[in-house]
Amino acid sequence: MTTEGELMALFKKKKQLDSSSMKNGVGLITVTKPTSTIAEQFRTIRTNIQFSSADQQLKTLVFTSADPSEGKSTISSNVAVTWADQGNKVLLIDGDLRRPTVARSFRVSNSHGLTTILTAKQANLSESIHETEVPNLYVLPSGPVPPNPSELLNSSKMDQLLKVLKEQFDIIILDVPPVNTVTDAQILASKVDGVILVVPQGIALKGAVLRARDLLKKVNANLIGAVLNRVTDAASGGYYGGYYGGYYGTDDKK
Ligand SMILES: Nc1ncnc2c1ncn2[C@@H]1O[C@H](COP(=O)(O)OP(=O)(O)OP(=O)(O)O)[C@@H](O)[C@H]1O
Ligand SMILES: [Mg+2]
């Protein structure tokens, strides 16, 4: 039997907005401890994404989640590292123009980035795209945070940019804002080959996840699966446990 108290405790589990990754970047365990079990789990996520659509080439991928602070940046950055480790030329784009982390995570300048490319008359990609210490991995940080993120992302310039970048990189990973709070994720999800939803198991509310799925379906996004993530407070021994489950696919009628 579930008492009302127990039920409410579930809701109390809902995470508060965590801004530490905006200040310090995300933990790159795939770089610092590449032989760890956690790094291996990120490689499993990559492999499962690769095998999720054998007949369709996935060149551009969006990582999003229903709500903020659910692990999008941590997972997309580490998965990008594992893709580069395989010898692919990878570009990680910070498409989260509201809570960017990529510049901090990879310690590159954020004075130029996606926003400066999208607002410039003549875009200069080389001043915005940085090589990282990980061979084959390049990053395009957000650039200075603009007043109109959705408009910028919805522009034809963004389409052109992705087209050009697809010719230069083997795989492009976009870290984007949560689906349920702003339209940015829907906009970018509609422009890429595949979308992965990060779901913090035991923390995400079912209704929120279903709403995110519906919003992505509305823009005909190719939702290829979900990464189950467990986000706990660092104080309680932060447990990283991600694995990729091919559910919430576009053929899921539930
Ligand atoms: N599996 C995990 N285990 C423990 N801590 C985690 C895990 N995943 C993420 N975190 C922590 O949770 C916080 C939020 O993670 P992250 O910044 O990756 O989320 P986000 O979804 O990108 O957030 P935002 O909505 O701000 O962009 C960070 O402090 C990060 O270190
Ligand atoms: Mg983030």
Side-chain angles (χ1 to χ4, degrees):
M1 285 282 277
T2 309
T3 65
E4 198 177 328
E6 281 168 341
L7 208 60
M8 291 320 289
L10 283 177
F11 286 94
K12 278 189 203 138
K13 271 186 172 177
K14 188 84 186 85
K15 241 185 107 62
Q16 298 297 307
L17 206 58
D18 181 337
S19 295
S20 59
S21 48
M22 274 180 77
K23 289 189 205 108
N24 310 315
V26 298
L28 293 172
I29 196 129
T30 45
V31 176
T32 54
K33 289 187 184 159
T35 56
S36 63
T37 314
I38 303 160
E40 184 55 34
Q41 285 174 336
F42 282 115
R43 285 191 285 274
T44 305
I45 293 170
R46 177 207 62 207
T47 308
N48 284 331
I49 294 170
Q50 283 171 324
F51 280 95
S52 69
S53 69
D55 48 349
Q56 186 202 358
Q57 210 201 359
L58 298 173
K59 219 170 165 174
T60 46
L61 288 174
V62 151
F63 279 76
T64 187
S65 63
D67 290 313
S69 301
E70 297 193 321
K72 298 175 293 296
S73 301
T74 304
I75 295 201
S76 54
S77 300
N78 280 285
V79 170
V81 170
T82 68
W83 235 298
D85 285 343
Q86 263 195 335
N88 301 290
K89 192 176 176 195
V90 182
L91 178 66
L92 173 65
I93 300 180
D94 201 336
D96 192 338
L97 304 183
R98 300 164 194 268
R99 295 170 60 80
T101 51
V102 169
R104 288 283 163 91
S105 300
F106 291 90
R107 298 197 180 87
V108 299
S109 162
N110 200 32
S111 60
H112 291 87
L114 184 57
T115 58
T116 45
I117 291 176
L118 295 177
T119 49
K121 279 207 178 85
Q122 196 93 49
N124 180 348
L125 297 188
S126 59
E127 68 183 0
S128 296
I129 295 178
H130 301 269
E131 235 177 316
T132 68
E133 62 175 283
V134 179
N136 306 315
L137 178 61
Y138 296 77
V139 292
L140 171 56
S142 66
V145 178
N148 55 344
S150 311
E151 273 169 52
L152 279 186
L153 298 174
N154 211 6
S155 62
S156 56
K157 262 194 169 172
M158 184 68 206
D159 295 327
Q160 286 160 19
L161 176 64
L162 283 176
K163 205 172 154 202
V164 170
L165 293 174
K166 271 170 114 164
E167 284 161 19
Q168 296 180 14
F169 292 90
D170 297 323
I171 179 135
I172 299 169
I173 293 179
L174 290 103
D175 177 14
V176 317
V179 186
N180 292 353
T181 42
V182 283
T183 58
D184 306 14
Q186 278 181 295
I187 293 166
L188 291 173
S190 70
K191 296 183 189 296
V192 295
D193 302 331
V195 178
I196 292 120
L197 201 60
V198 174
V199 180
Q201 201 181 21
I203 293 171
L205 299 176
K206 192 178 173 194
V209 176
L210 293 178
R211 181 171 145 73
R213 181 194 64 173
D214 290 345
L215 287 170
L216 289 169
K217 275 187 172 179
K218 257 189 198 149
V219 294
N220 292 322
N222 179 23
L223 187 52
I224 57 173
V227 174
L228 295 187
N229 186 29
R230 290 172 190 245
V231 185
T232 58
D233 293 329
S236 62
Y239 169 75
Y240 284 78
Y243 70 87
Y244 176 80
Y247 66 83
Y248 299 122
T250 42
D251 55 355
D252 183 354
K253 301 278 188 305
K254 270 177 269 171

